[in-house]
Amino acid sequence: MKPGKSSARIEGRGERAAATRPYLTDIRVYMDSHYHEQLTVRQLAERVHVSPKYFVDLFKKTFGQSAMDYLTDLRINRAKRYLSEPEPLLLREIAQRVGYKDEYYFSRKFKKEVGMSPTEFARSSKHRIAAWSPDMTGYLIALGLTPLAAPLDPKWTAHYYYSYRKKIRYALKLTDPYVTGTFEENADLMARLRPDAVVAGDGLSDEQQDTIGKIAPALFVPTSRELGWREYLRLIAVFLKRTDEAEQWIRGYDKLADEARIQSEAALGDDGILIVRLYGKGLYSYSNRGMEDVLFKDLNLRQVSSGKQSAPIRPEDIRALDPSRILVLVCPESESRAYWLALQHSPEWKTIGAVRSGSIYPISADPWLEYSPVAVARMLDEAMLLFTGKCPNAFLDHVHGGSLPADL
């Protein structure tokens, strides 16, 4: 073959690939909406006007898997959703809805891909569950489940990192509250793991929720709504078919909270509690749902507040409020820690009554910034240790009969 013709052919092939790849994204979107139809490689190739062989090679090169494997993933994941419903459809109906002609072929295909039959999958509780955020880890553990994958970081999720890192097999990147993560990297890992279900908060965009929903059946817990952790736990428990475990956890927590309230009221009496947050070089009035639930509802302590949530507060303002005890939430980064050390030596700080009496209690972001059953239980333990010197520190054992959650 002459050099000129060879170069022209290679150049033409490169131009065709460059022109075709944008359309491949459209093809994948088309497959997302038409997976229930009898799609073939030839039909898909014709939509981008290339040969079937060229389409097969280009699709795999572009997306890392064949078009038919991608189609199978779509169908199986959608079938999992149908099978996870409280009252699943008949296998024949599910097979037709996800693109298979009969339930027998669908059952064989499902078992090959998932490792169990559709019937076994429907009967069993979901086991390979992914938690998209640290607070969702706290909900799964309360249900006796250790997530297959979850965000882990020795600084921001120290409890889960040191207590569960050998059980949580895959670590996701943190995306909040302070550490910027990569949604796409987490989604890619999830797609490779193919969990049975994903539990996430509702602070994701519609596009991100759609991406997660294509990976596995997903529950987006309405954490932006002012519901309590008990309501969230029950919602997740229904989704994962673990309602008995949820009620067991709630009963166990309420029992310990009742006992703790009696002890804290005896130790503190009518003492007023002020919470401040130290971040950067600033001091702010502070509270959140977890703190309010544990300190001012469950333990029935008296809250002292400036009336301005998250507003800057000066030592002289605190002195005027005259709280009996002060919780200081120090953010775990160097500037905040340095300011906290400097503040403790300042003359203005030393004039505060609670400081003079030694009633200052530094607390950390973990668990006090997380809102989950596990975090709330840990707050209860920490509050009792701070205020009474006694800490049950055995809530998981109390609720789950002396054993850690099941390894998934």
Side-chain angles (χ1 to χ4, degrees):
M1 183 179 293
K2 294 183 180 180
K5 289 185 179 180
S6 176
S7 300
R9 180 172 296 178
I10 293 172
E11 182 178 354
R13 185 179 299 166
E15 290 174 353
R16 183 172 60 167
T20 303
R21 282 179 181 166
Y23 294 107
L24 284 180
T25 301
D26 293 337
I27 281 291
R28 198 161 65 163
V29 171
Y30 176 82
M31 293 169 71
D32 292 345
S33 302
H34 294 79
Y35 62 86
H36 58 285
E37 299 176 6
Q38 298 302 309
L39 302 179
T40 66
V41 168
R42 181 173 296 279
Q43 290 172 335
L44 297 173
E46 287 175 352
R47 295 187 68 87
V48 288
H49 309 293
V50 297
S51 70
K53 184 179 184 307
Y54 184 71
F55 173 81
V56 168
D57 293 341
L58 190 58
F59 192 100
K60 187 166 186 177
K61 183 176 181 181
T62 303
F63 299 118
Q65 67 178 148
S66 72
M68 291 298 101
D69 285 344
Y70 181 71
L71 180 60
T72 296
D73 285 348
L74 289 174
R75 290 172 170 173
I76 296 300
N77 287 334
R78 191 65 187 91
K80 284 182 177 180
R81 291 194 205 177
Y82 286 127
L83 291 165
S84 300
E85 294 293 331
E87 296 183 7
L89 299 170
L90 297 174
L91 287 187
R92 180 176 64 257
E93 295 176 278
I94 295 176
Q96 292 172 350
R97 291 192 181 195
V98 300
Y100 295 111
K101 292 181 178 180
D102 63 74
E103 65 266 37
Y104 305 108
Y105 178 77
F106 163 64
S107 294
R108 292 195 300 272
K109 190 70 172 176
F110 189 95
K111 186 169 185 177
K112 178 182 177 183
E113 297 295 325
V114 179
M116 66 176 73
S117 71
T119 303
E120 291 171 330
F121 181 87
R123 286 176 180 169
S124 67
S125 297
K126 300 181 183 73
H127 290 303
R128 302 177 73 254
I129 317 299
W132 197 266
S133 56
D135 57 333
M136 292 300 112
T137 302
Y139 284 96
L140 293 181
I141 288 173
L143 295 175
L145 300 170
T146 301
L148 169 72
L152 288 177
D153 185 271
K155 181 177 180 181
W156 298 103
T157 64
H159 174 69
Y160 299 133
Y161 180 82
Y162 290 109
S163 299
Y164 295 96
R165 72 182 187 277
K166 292 183 180 179
K167 289 180 170 288
I168 297 175
R169 301 175 192 173
Y170 301 95
L172 301 179
K173 289 192 172 183
L174 278 175
T175 57
D176 60 356
Y178 307 106
V179 180
T180 300
T182 304
F183 175 87
E184 290 75 15
E185 289 187 25
N186 285 344
D188 286 345
L189 175 58
M190 290 282 199
R192 293 195 300 273
L193 296 177
R194 297 176 67 178
D196 295 333
V198 178
V199 179
D202 61 355
L204 297 164
S205 68
D206 290 343
E207 182 180 358
Q208 289 172 333
Q209 290 190 16
D210 185 57
T211 298
I212 295 172
K214 290 175 182 175
I215 294 171
L219 175 67
F220 300 99
V221 183
T223 51
S224 59
R225 291 167 54 190
E226 291 297 319
L227 302 177
W229 63 264
R230 293 170 181 82
E231 287 76 17
Y232 296 139
L233 182 63
R234 287 176 172 129
L235 285 172
I236 297 170
V238 169
F239 177 65
L240 298 177
K241 301 178 182 178
R242 297 184 78 87
T243 54
D244 289 346
E245 288 81 357
E247 296 307 320
Q248 181 186 10
W249 177 278
I250 292 170
R251 286 194 302 269
Y253 175 85
D254 288 343
K255 181 176 184 294
L256 290 183
D258 288 342
E259 296 169 356
R261 180 168 57 253
I262 295 171
Q263 296 177 36
S264 63
E265 288 177 345
L268 275 68
D270 193 45
D271 285 1
I273 310 295
L274 173 69
I275 306 170
V276 295
R277 182 182 181 189
L278 195 152
Y279 179 66
K281 294 183 178 180
L283 200 60
Y284 306 88
S285 61
Y286 189 72
S287 187
N288 61 37
R289 281 189 290 179
M291 294 174 175
E292 291 169 2
D293 282 0
V294 173
L295 299 175
F296 308 122
K297 293 180 182 178
D298 297 336
L299 295 182
N300 197 33
L301 303 179
R302 182 170 68 86
Q303 183 176 15
V304 174
S305 172
S306 65
K308 298 177 181 179
Q309 183 62 256
S310 299
I313 189 169
R314 302 168 300 175
E316 49 264 43
D317 299 326
I318 297 175
R319 186 171 63 248
L321 291 171
D322 194 27
S324 304
R325 302 167 189 264
I326 303 174
L327 296 180
V328 184
L329 176 63
V330 182
C331 295
E333 36 78 38
S334 57
E335 187 178 34
S336 298
R337 291 179 180 277
Y339 179 61
W340 172 231
L341 290 174
L343 182 66
Q344 293 175 80
H345 291 89
S346 69
E348 296 83 5
W349 183 254
K350 292 179 179 179
T351 62
I352 297 171
V355 175
R356 294 199 306 270
S357 66
S359 300
I360 299 294
Y361 308 93
I363 58 177
S364 61
D366 179 23
W368 294 89
L369 287 184
E370 179 184 321
Y371 193 58
S372 76
V374 166
V376 165
R378 292 177 59 220
M379 290 180 210
L380 183 70
D381 276 352
E382 286 197 13
M384 293 304 295
L385 181 61
L386 294 174
F387 296 141
T388 72
K390 301 175 182 178
C391 176
N393 200 31
F395 187 73
L396 287 176
D397 290 347
H398 226 82
V399 174
H400 290 299
S403 62
L404 287 172
D407 183 12
L408 305 184

